[in-house]
Amino acid sequence: MNLQELFGKRVRELRQKQELSQEALAFKAGIDRTYMTSIENGKRNVSIQNIEKVITALDVPVKDFFASDIFIEGKK
Amino acid sequence: MNLQELFGKRVRELRQKQELSQEALAFKAGIDRTYMTSIENGKRNVSIQNIEKVITALDVPVKDFFASDIFIEGKK
DNA sequence: TCAATATGTGACGTATAGTCCGTTGACTTA
DNA sequence: TAAGTCAACGGACTATACGTCACATATTGA
């Protein structure tokens, strides 16, 4: 699991916790609906500007976003 | 200060703490020296794959990299 | 003064990020 | 059956990041 995949996993986790659809989150973040899908599935090499957009749309501090066991080395 | 700039700032901070030159860190990360310069100066919209390369080269967990007051909202 | 080391800049071709349009299948509700 | 929502995918297109180069500047030491 690389950071790209872990990022998508974490986005999905937080999005579902808020009961938002991919489309709704994409709209909040100002990015394309289909792009949000591929981000969550770890298929895209997202840029840091879009990372910031998504995290902001999720309404969580950057610090908290990455303060998850998901990002601990060795996790499957 | 956007995330792009904060990222560069944090990279520089951790690199200097280890007394590495930009070139030495760039080599460890497998990227170009001049590219590392522009990353630290917040001039590049780095992708998540290169973010991972740099953080790995800094030899710090992702979690710890972002667990810095730098990333707290409202910081100049 | 010269050489070595470290950092920064602008520009450029190429690779790919990201958008836009549409389709499909799974699931739900009427 | 039909209609709606949602997630995923694909093709075609445009925007932009990647990766590198030549060059510049500053500092340090012989």
Side-chain angles (χ1 to χ4, degrees):
Chain A
M1 265 270 193
N2 54 31
L3 187 55
Q4 177 175 321
E5 292 168 319
L6 295 173
F7 177 75
K9 211 173 171 180
R10 179 71 168 145
V11 169
R12 172 160 294 169
E13 180 184 42
L14 293 172
R15 175 180 64 80
Q16 291 178 334
K17 200 170 292 179
Q18 300 181 41
E19 299 187 49
L20 286 171
S21 67
Q22 289 179 347
E23 188 165 16
L25 180 60
F27 181 79
K28 281 188 72 179
I31 65 179
D32 195 76
R33 160 185 67 87
T34 65
Y35 195 53
M36 183 64 75
T37 298
S38 46
I39 286 176
E40 284 193 3
N41 290 325
K43 304 236 175 80
R44 293 297 189 132
N45 186 13
V46 206
S47 71
I48 198 165
Q49 284 177 11
N50 282 329
I51 288 173
E52 183 168 27
K53 284 185 191 172
V54 171
I55 293 182
T56 301
L58 283 168
D59 214 34
V60 59
V62 175
K63 205 171 172 172
D64 294 357
F65 181 91
F66 290 103
S68 165
D69 287 343
I70 285 183
F71 296 106
I72 298 217
E73 218 49 59
K75 248 280 197 172
K76 187 184 63 161
Chain B
M1 266 266 194
N2 54 31
L3 187 56
Q4 178 175 321
E5 293 168 319
L6 295 173
F7 176 76
K9 211 174 170 178
R10 179 70 168 144
V11 170
R12 173 160 293 170
E13 181 185 42
L14 293 172
R15 174 180 63 82
Q16 291 178 334
K17 199 170 293 180
Q18 299 180 43
E19 299 187 46
L20 286 172
S21 67
Q22 287 181 348
E23 188 164 16
L25 180 61
F27 181 78
K28 281 188 73 179
I31 66 181
D32 194 79
R33 170 190 72 78
T34 65
Y35 193 56
M36 182 65 74
T37 298
S38 46
I39 287 176
E40 283 193 5
N41 289 324
K43 302 245 173 75
R44 296 287 192 135
N45 186 13
V46 208
S47 72
I48 198 164
Q49 284 176 11
N50 281 332
I51 289 173
E52 183 168 27
K53 283 185 193 171
V54 172
I55 293 182
T56 301
L58 284 168
D59 213 34
V60 59
V62 176
K63 205 172 172 173
D64 295 355
F65 181 92
F66 290 102
S68 165
D69 287 343
I70 284 184
F71 297 106
I72 296 217
E73 219 49 59
K75 247 283 194 171
K76 186 184 61 155

